[in-house]
Amino acid sequence: MGKFEIKTDKAGKFRFNLKAGNGQVILSSQGYSSKDACENGIESVKKHSQDDKYFERNKAKDGSPFFNLKASNGQVIGNSEMYSSDSAMENGVASVKKNAPDASVEEV
């Protein structure tokens, strides 16, 4: 089962990672100014991850595929790692859809 891990970065911002059951990070957040805002971001991921229209598939300058998960207002709430292929990226999207809704939340 997946889990969200909340951590504080060097600048004092709160960030979360969504990890799959195997411990691999499948989605990372921006920095939030408060823990409450970070937790709201997690709730937004849980909600929006179930509708494919909120996944924006992209290519980096080097051609590596990646995706962003957006909220209904268009704001990016999480982004993926760079993948080696489109099919690997689609596996990442599927993993977020599978793991996010019931993922636990831990502070590390």
Side-chain angles (χ1 to χ4, degrees):
M1 189 162 114
K3 67 179 175 180
F4 288 95
E5 289 185 348
I6 297 174
K7 62 182 178 188
T8 309
D9 67 17
K10 291 176 185 169
K13 301 262 187 190
F14 292 88
R15 297 179 180 272
F16 65 79
N17 286 320
L18 173 59
K19 292 187 171 185
N22 64 5
Q24 183 177 3
V25 174
I26 51 178
L27 194 72
S28 297
S29 76
Q30 64 185 30
Y32 293 93
S33 57
S34 71
K35 186 178 172 189
D36 282 347
C38 187
E39 289 171 342
N40 288 341
I42 290 171
E43 288 307 311
S44 188
V45 169
K46 288 183 175 192
K47 175 182 169 188
H48 291 93
S49 64
Q50 298 310 290
D51 191 332
D52 196 68
K53 74 180 180 185
Y54 295 116
F55 286 89
E56 177 186 75
R57 291 144 171 100
N58 292 308
K59 299 255 187 212
K61 289 179 182 172
D62 69 359
S64 300
F66 71 98
F67 64 86
N68 292 322
L69 178 61
K70 292 188 164 188
S72 45
N73 65 3
Q75 183 176 355
V76 174
I77 48 178
N79 48 31
S80 74
E81 65 181 356
M82 298 296 167
Y83 290 96
S84 56
S85 67
D86 288 343
S87 63
M89 177 188 64
E90 291 302 331
N91 288 341
V93 169
S95 186
V96 170
K97 289 178 180 179
K98 175 185 168 195
N99 286 283
D102 301 316
S104 61
V105 180
E106 296 177 14
E107 197 165 346
V108 292

